[in-house]
Amino acid sequence: MDKLGGWLLPGAVVIILLFGLVRRVPVFDVFLQGAKEGLSSSLSILPALIGLMMGVTMLEASGALDMVSAFLRPAAEQLGFPPEVLPLALLRPFSGSGSTALAASLFESCPPDSFAGRVISVLMGSSETTFYAVAVYFGAVGVKKSRWTIPAALTGDITALAASAAAVLLWFPPAG
């Protein structure tokens, strides 16, 4: 099975090339046109990505993430949500790489088998980097007004947050 994985991507490339040649498509010219459009799309979304990365960096460096987490801590404890996970829940909609790094560091203090560790795992798998996705996809097609996209996506993120703790409690009830 390991050998199959090594041949999967090259095999797909060969099949695409053969299909193009059979259909008499100028494969290399089409490839170059696609690469050109990809570069153009990358350049058009670059300002939004730079702004988003700068905002996330400032949020982390200023301590605002910790302040908001400390403010929300009593409510999280009251609801049975592990307060250690709050910084991750706040960062996740903004940054995939930042939330992955934060999750890795949280695993040092909250082992993966703990309640908080399991909530971290479920939250990472069930939530989205909302603002990053909107910046990339809407920027790529030139959409200026997101209308209801952000509120709907954040509702999904909040639902993922609540459901992550509920799912862990349901499938891994505390001993005793």
Side-chain angles (χ1 to χ4, degrees):
M1 195 65 174
D2 287 335
K3 298 207 185 242
L4 175 66
W7 286 99
L8 204 57
L9 186 59
V13 170
V14 168
I15 289 170
I16 291 169
L17 287 173
L18 289 175
F19 185 77
L21 291 173
V22 167
R23 301 278 230 134
R24 299 194 187 281
V25 173
V27 177
F28 189 68
D29 293 337
V30 171
F31 169 77
L32 290 179
Q33 182 63 29
K36 182 179 175 185
E37 289 173 12
L39 183 60
S40 172
S41 294
S42 296
L43 290 175
S44 70
I45 64 171
L46 195 59
L49 289 179
I50 290 172
L52 187 61
M53 289 189 305
M54 184 185 73
V56 168
T57 303
M58 288 175 59
L59 186 69
E60 290 177 313
S62 70
L65 194 61
D66 295 330
M67 287 182 355
V68 173
S69 295
F71 177 76
L72 294 174
R73 186 179 190 92
E77 289 171 343
Q78 193 70 26
L79 294 170
F81 187 81
E84 309 85 27
V85 183
L86 283 173
L88 177 66
L90 294 169
L91 185 60
R92 182 71 175 151
F94 295 96
S95 172
S97 59
S99 60
T100 301
L102 182 58
S105 71
L106 285 173
F107 281 135
E108 292 175 10
S109 60
C110 308
D113 290 349
S114 68
F115 174 62
R118 288 179 172 153
V119 171
I120 291 166
S121 299
V122 174
L123 182 62
M124 288 296 290
S126 62
S127 59
E128 179 57 79
T129 53
T130 300
F131 293 102
Y132 174 81
V134 168
V136 170
Y137 297 127
F138 282 24
V141 295
V143 173
K144 300 285 186 220
K145 294 184 180 181
S146 63
R147 301 190 65 183
W148 293 100
T149 305
I150 303 254
L154 288 176
T155 300
D157 289 337
I158 292 168
T159 303
L161 179 67
S164 62
V168 170
L169 284 173
L170 179 66
W171 280 290
F172 300 102

